[in-house]
């Protein structure tokens, strides 16, 4: 996605590849991915890959920030990749992830130079932009930390228990449960009103 908008999309099947791999988008440059989710397994057998539950690689393009907003992953994200994130694998200069969450297990088989996070694998700013990860959450136990490696960007990730995920008041006021999100009693976590998981 180069400068475009992808919204109200979802994936439920396994996705694998050797480069930039995401449940919904492989690479998002200066574009917006909003109100999307993934429940399928995302994987790679390439140690140089960047993989994320929703987006593999996120960055700016021509000074326009890349945005991932109101998205979530509930599928397993694993492989031998270098950067593995529950929502985004690698945020380079000029990327922002806001109001996102992950409940799937996140892991990497790589033994060196790899970063694994419940929300983002590697958050690496450049000298023009900071990268912001704001109001993002991950299920406790799915990863050790929210961001595997944090550069000069801003990190506002938090782990929640399964019990907390099922409560609206576990999420801050900028999570709009009036028109964007709703709490699913069946799944025990938020889903999108415009893109309801399960129909």
């Amino acid at each position: 996605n180069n400068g475009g908008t992808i919204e109200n999309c979802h994936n439920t099947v396994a996705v694998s590849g050797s480069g930039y791999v995401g449940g919904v988008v492989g690479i998002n440059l200066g574009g917006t991915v909003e109100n999307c989710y993934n429940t399928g397994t995302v994987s790679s057998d390439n140690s140089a890959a960047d993989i994320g539950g929703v987006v593999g690689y996120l960055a700016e393009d021509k000074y326009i920030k890349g945005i991932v907003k109101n998205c979530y992953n509930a599928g397993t994200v694993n492989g031998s990749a270098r950067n593995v994130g529950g929502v985004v694998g690698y945020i380079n200069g000029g990327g922002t992830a806001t109001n996102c969450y992950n409940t799937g297990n996140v892991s990497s088989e790589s033994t060196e130079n790899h970063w694994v996070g419940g929300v983002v694998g590697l958050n690496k700013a450049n000298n023009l932009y900071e990268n912001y990860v704001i109001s993002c959450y991950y299920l406790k136990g799915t990863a050790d930390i929210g961001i595997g490696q944090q550069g000069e960007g801003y990190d506002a990730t938090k782990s929640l228990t399964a019990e907390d995920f099922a409560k609206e008041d576990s999420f801050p006021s900028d999570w709009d449960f009036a028109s964007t999100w709703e709490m699913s009693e069946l799944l025990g976590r938020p889903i999108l009103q415009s893109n309801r998981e399960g129909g």
Side-chain angles (χ1 to χ4, degrees), residues 57-61 66 90-95 124-126 129-131:
Y57 178 86
L58 172 65
E60 60 86 22
D61 180 59
Y90 180 13
I91 302 180
N92 206 341
K124 181 182 179 182
N126 62 22
Y129 285 120
E130 288 184 333
N131 301 331

Side-chain angles (χ1 to χ4, degrees), residues 67-155:
I67 296 170
V68 177
K69 183 178 180 181
N70 296 332
C71 292
Y72 68 89
N73 171 67
T76 298
V77 185
N78 63 21
S80 57
R82 58 185 176 187
N83 301 312
V84 186
V87 179
V88 181
Y90 180 13
I91 302 180
N92 206 341
T96 299
T98 307
N99 295 8
C100 297
Y101 77 80
N102 167 63
T103 59
N105 289 320
V106 186
S107 62
S108 175
E109 298 170 9
S110 177
T111 57
E112 59 183 54
N113 297 325
H114 72 283
W115 306 108
V116 178
V119 177
V120 176
L122 173 62
N123 187 31
K124 181 182 179 182
N126 62 22
N127 59 357
L128 294 175
Y129 285 120
E130 288 184 333
N131 301 331
Y132 293 91
V133 181
I134 303 170
S135 296
C136 291
Y137 300 86
Y138 64 101
L139 180 63
K140 187 175 182 179
T142 58
D144 292 334
I145 52 178
I147 296 179
Q149 172 68 10
Q150 172 74 3
E152 298 175 6
Y154 182 70
D155 173 9

